[in-house]
Amino acid sequence: MDASIKQIITKYPDKKSAIMPVMQHLQRENKNFLSEDAMEEAAGVIGCSKSKVFGVATYYTMFNVEPVGKFHLQVDTCVPGFLQGADAVVAHLEKKLGIKAGETTKDGLFTLSTVQDLGSCATGPVIQVNDRYFENMTIEKTDALIEALKSGKEPENDPSMTVISKCGVLLNDRTQKDCRTIAFYKKNGGYQSLKKALTMKPADIIEEVKEAGVRGRGGAGFPAGMKWSFLPKNDSRPVYLICNADEGEPGTFKDRQIMEFNPHLVIEGIAISAYAINSKKAFIYIRGEFNWIADILDAAIEEAKKDGQLANVDIVVHRGGGSYVCGDETAQIESLEGKRGNPRVKPPFPANAGLYGCPTVVNNVETLSCIPYIIQNGAAGYKKFGTSNNFGPKIFGVSGHVNKPGIFEYPMGTPLKEILEAAGGVKGKLKGVIVGGLSVAILTAQEAENLILDFDSCVKAGTALGSGGIMVVNDTVSIPELALRTIEFYHHESCGQCVPCREGSLVIEHKLRDLVEGRGKKEDIDLILHLTANIKGLTLCPTGEAFAVPIQAMVSKFRPEFEALVKR
């Protein structure tokens, strides 16, 4: 057995969890192609059938079971990319390379693909070349990239965007070259919270987190301390902690900022949380596209180990394979166990029967990154940020039609107006805004006028804070086209397990495409609203509701635009 594969397998309590990382290794070794021989090799070392490996490989979008070119050009055309001109980049590449999206050049050098959301929302258009991102792309930069690749070179990436931190809790000074190192982190007080936590009783840590009222930053806003308290008492089974770093919600790119530039913050948060819930094994489930960030986390974990910070917990970075649904905690657990990422029926809940059938807590990157501040400053210190029942700092990602897209760490409860002003103001006339990632209801300009950005205020306004991914839409955008791009994402990402999600998203996509392309009927609009009203609550995971809510809002609030497309 290859020594690298053996090293991968030893990281996991159950070697079946190594199916995906083993396949990722074999694909990299075979020119970005996962051949039948490679799948057979993976099956042999894991000790499972080839059909199981094939089933896993064909579920995730990042496994290439068909050959691709030496350079796989993947352009993100999801909603943030759509708003930033990604379609023009695709059209230019098709013309320049003489191929259509989904094809490979005759010399085998380039494969061109369009993909759904790369988590680079403020720095689009973005092109992923194999494992590397190239952001803030223009037609000129795209030409330079192609010529450089042809000559055996790669230009530097330009990930520049606006970064403002009003709280100084989650975002560090990324302008410093050593900002990722443990020396920089400790120089600024890093790991003092862990030192303090280890002198406390685990139950006291849980109570402090509950008192702080930190609500999950992954989108649902469920209290983190309460989630920890659901773990069974006096249970002999091992407890697992999973840091959800999948970050697949379009418009969302906050967790990436912490992991890429302040990795020791989330590692310290994991270490404290693991001690509090008596977990000796923790996993960071990071989306596979963030391969370079996974490398940063691996390096930071090694630094922390050598510094003696992780004596009480072993942390494994696990790369996903490209699946929006794996952001759901039960789907993520299935994926981590080496399976297709299909959500589980609940109950039982992960707190009692999660990873490997054991008690499990799944928390978001931003949530866990708040824990060191709470331990060091107490619940009272944490509550100095935010508003009642909506405490703490919050990272907002702003993309779309603003002059200075970027990332903004502000107190929870900040007015939307203030965030948009920090982002340089709206380009053109505001038409609508999506404030919590693509799965929440769009607000009209009038509805958003006095919006306060916290969980409760957004609900009162008829939307949700979600992940805090703010997408700004000006009056140059066709809402029917925006709706079509939205449902294309969710239909593509549906795991297919639940009929309302699988078939509902398909029908809605077909009807929206008919409308946009001039074949639609007035009855199609009513059918779309009927379907979106009846899909909610009928699926195992939130994906059904994730497309029903935004599509229903777009159609109902901007119905005249849809009706104008119907030929009379």
Side-chain angles (χ1 to χ4, degrees):
M1 187 189 299
D2 184 309
S4 298
I5 292 177
K6 187 178 288 187
Q7 186 178 18
I8 290 168
I9 291 173
T10 58
K11 293 180 179 180
Y12 297 92
D14 184 334
K15 68 178 181 179
K16 287 186 177 63
S17 287
I19 287 179
M20 283 172 58
V22 166
M23 288 196 297
Q24 288 160 348
H25 170 76
L26 293 173
Q27 180 167 286
R28 281 194 300 272
E29 295 295 302
N30 192 35
K31 299 179 180 178
N32 209 21
F33 170 45
L34 189 66
S35 65
E36 287 198 24
D37 288 344
M39 284 188 269
E40 193 162 348
E41 182 179 351
V45 298
I46 297 298
C48 65
S49 66
K50 183 180 173 183
S51 62
K52 178 176 173 61
V53 171
F54 181 79
V56 172
T58 51
Y59 179 88
Y60 299 96
T61 59
M62 293 185 68
F63 291 114
N64 300 318
V65 295
E66 297 292 337
V68 294
K70 181 178 180 182
F71 301 110
H72 191 185
L73 310 175
Q74 301 164 88
V75 185
D76 179 357
T77 57
C78 194
V79 168
F82 164 68
L83 295 174
Q84 292 167 320
D87 289 357
V89 172
V90 174
H92 182 74
L93 281 168
E94 288 181 332
K95 184 177 180 181
K96 185 175 183 68
L97 299 175
I99 57 174
K100 294 293 183 183
E103 297 178 349
T104 301
T105 55
K106 290 180 180 179
D107 60 5
L109 201 56
F110 297 103
T111 295
L112 177 62
S113 300
T114 57
V115 293
Q116 294 286 351
D117 185 58
L118 292 174
S120 184
C121 311
T123 50
V126 56
I127 303 174
Q128 183 180 12
V129 181
N130 300 341
D131 284 341
R132 285 201 62 189
Y133 275 28
F134 294 92
E135 299 163 282
N136 290 305
M137 296 301 286
T138 61
I139 299 302
E140 293 73 24
K141 286 183 179 180
T142 300
D143 284 340
L145 172 64
I146 296 301
E147 295 310 312
L149 293 172
K150 283 180 178 178
S151 64
K153 301 174 184 177
E154 286 189 8
E156 288 298 311
N157 181 30
D158 172 24
S160 59
M161 62 179 171
T162 303
V163 181
I164 296 175
S165 176
K166 290 287 187 180
C167 304
V169 175
L170 301 169
L171 301 179
N172 63 356
D173 184 1
R174 65 178 65 194
T175 64
Q176 302 301 310
K177 288 184 179 180
D178 63 344
C179 67
R180 301 179 176 98
T181 66
I182 194 168
F184 180 89
Y185 186 64
K186 291 178 74 174
K187 184 172 66 178
N188 291 279
Y191 289 111
Q192 289 302 308
S193 297
L194 176 59
K195 183 178 179 181
K196 179 180 178 181
L198 294 175
T199 68
M200 299 169 65
K201 294 178 181 178
D204 291 341
I205 295 174
I206 294 174
E207 285 305 310
E208 196 70 29
V209 172
K210 288 172 74 173
E211 175 61 27
V214 58
R215 296 173 66 173
R217 297 319 201 230
F222 192 82
M226 188 179 295
K227 181 182 275 193
W228 294 1
S229 68
F230 290 159
L231 292 169
K233 308 294 188 291
N234 303 316
D235 196 304
S236 61
R237 295 173 296 169
V239 176
Y240 294 104
L241 174 63
I242 301 173
C243 173
N244 187 344
D246 197 51
E247 193 156 65
E249 178 75 15
T252 310
F253 52 105
K254 63 185 180 63
D255 295 338
R256 169 184 169 180
Q257 312 307 318
I258 298 170
M259 295 186 291
E260 187 171 3
F261 297 101
N262 202 6
H264 284 283
L265 178 64
V266 69
I267 291 169
E268 184 176 17
I270 290 170
I272 295 169
S273 304
Y275 171 71
I277 64 172
N278 192 31
S279 174
K280 304 300 181 186
K281 189 85 173 180
F283 296 91
I284 301 175
Y285 187 107
I286 186 170
R287 64 179 299 175
E289 294 89 345
F290 289 168
N291 189 53
W292 81 98
I293 302 177
D295 289 342
I296 289 169
L297 288 169
D298 277 331
I301 289 168
E302 285 305 308
E303 277 190 311
K305 281 181 181 177
K306 288 177 182 175
D307 198 55
Q309 304 296 341
L310 301 180
N312 296 304
V313 63
D314 180 41
I315 304 175
V316 175
V317 178
H318 182 91
R319 294 156 171 83
S323 167
Y324 169 79
V325 172
C326 286
D328 170 79
E329 60 181 10
T330 64
Q332 190 165 108
I333 289 167
E334 287 283 293
S335 181
L336 193 46
E337 289 181 351
K339 305 170 189 173
R340 295 163 70 91
N342 290 334
R344 294 176 178 176
V345 176
K346 294 183 287 189
F349 292 93
N352 186 53
L355 186 63
Y356 311 127
C358 296
T360 303
V361 168
V362 183
N363 282 134
N364 171 260
V365 170
E366 187 182 2
T367 307
L368 291 169
S369 297
C370 289
I371 304 302
Y373 189 90
I374 292 169
I375 297 304
Q376 194 63 29
N377 298 277
Y382 183 79
K383 286 181 171 181
K384 287 180 181 178
F385 299 107
T387 57
S388 179
N389 200 40
N390 296 271
F391 299 110
K394 178 76 188 85
I395 300 179
F396 299 97
V398 183
S399 61
H401 296 137
V402 291
N403 290 299
K404 296 179 179 179
I407 207 82
F408 304 86
E409 182 189 354
Y410 275 64
M412 191 78 84
T414 298
L416 173 64
K417 272 185 178 178
E418 187 175 338
I419 300 292
L420 295 185
E421 286 171 6
V426 178
K427 281 183 181 177
K429 183 180 178 182
L430 182 65
K431 185 174 191 176
V433 60
I434 301 165
V435 298
L438 191 57
S439 61
V440 310
I442 190 171
L443 297 177
T444 64
Q446 186 176 359
E447 289 173 326
E449 179 70 21
N450 297 306
L451 183 68
I452 300 298
L453 292 172
D454 63 41
F455 292 109
D456 298 336
S457 299
C458 286
V459 169
K460 287 178 184 175
T463 187
L465 183 67
S467 61
I470 300 170
M471 289 171 280
V472 178
V473 180
N474 71 16
D475 63 356
T476 65
V477 175
S478 158
I479 298 299
E481 288 187 20
L482 183 68
L484 176 58
R485 201 61 62 104
T486 298
I487 198 63
E488 283 175 343
F489 170 79
Y490 287 108
H491 176 58
H492 176 269
E493 294 297 336
S494 173
C495 76
Q497 186 173 208
C498 301
V499 173
C501 179
R502 182 184 71 234
E503 301 302 322
S505 62
L506 175 64
V507 172
I508 293 170
E509 181 181 348
H510 284 172
K511 295 303 179 184
L512 282 171
R513 181 167 285 108
D514 284 347
L515 286 163
V516 168
E517 295 179 358
R519 300 186 301 271
K521 303 172 184 177
K522 190 173 183 296
E523 306 90 83
D524 295 339
I525 300 172
D526 295 325
L527 178 60
I528 291 167
L529 289 173
H530 172 77
L531 288 172
T532 54
N534 287 281
I535 287 170
K536 295 182 223 177
L538 296 180
T539 55
L540 289 175
C541 83
T543 302
E545 194 157 336
F547 68 77
V549 168
I551 296 298
Q552 188 175 48
M554 290 177 194
V555 175
S556 59
K557 294 181 182 184
F558 297 91
R559 181 161 182 149
E561 286 194 40
F562 291 84
E563 291 178 341
L565 297 173
V566 177
K567 289 186 177 178
R568 304 190 182 280

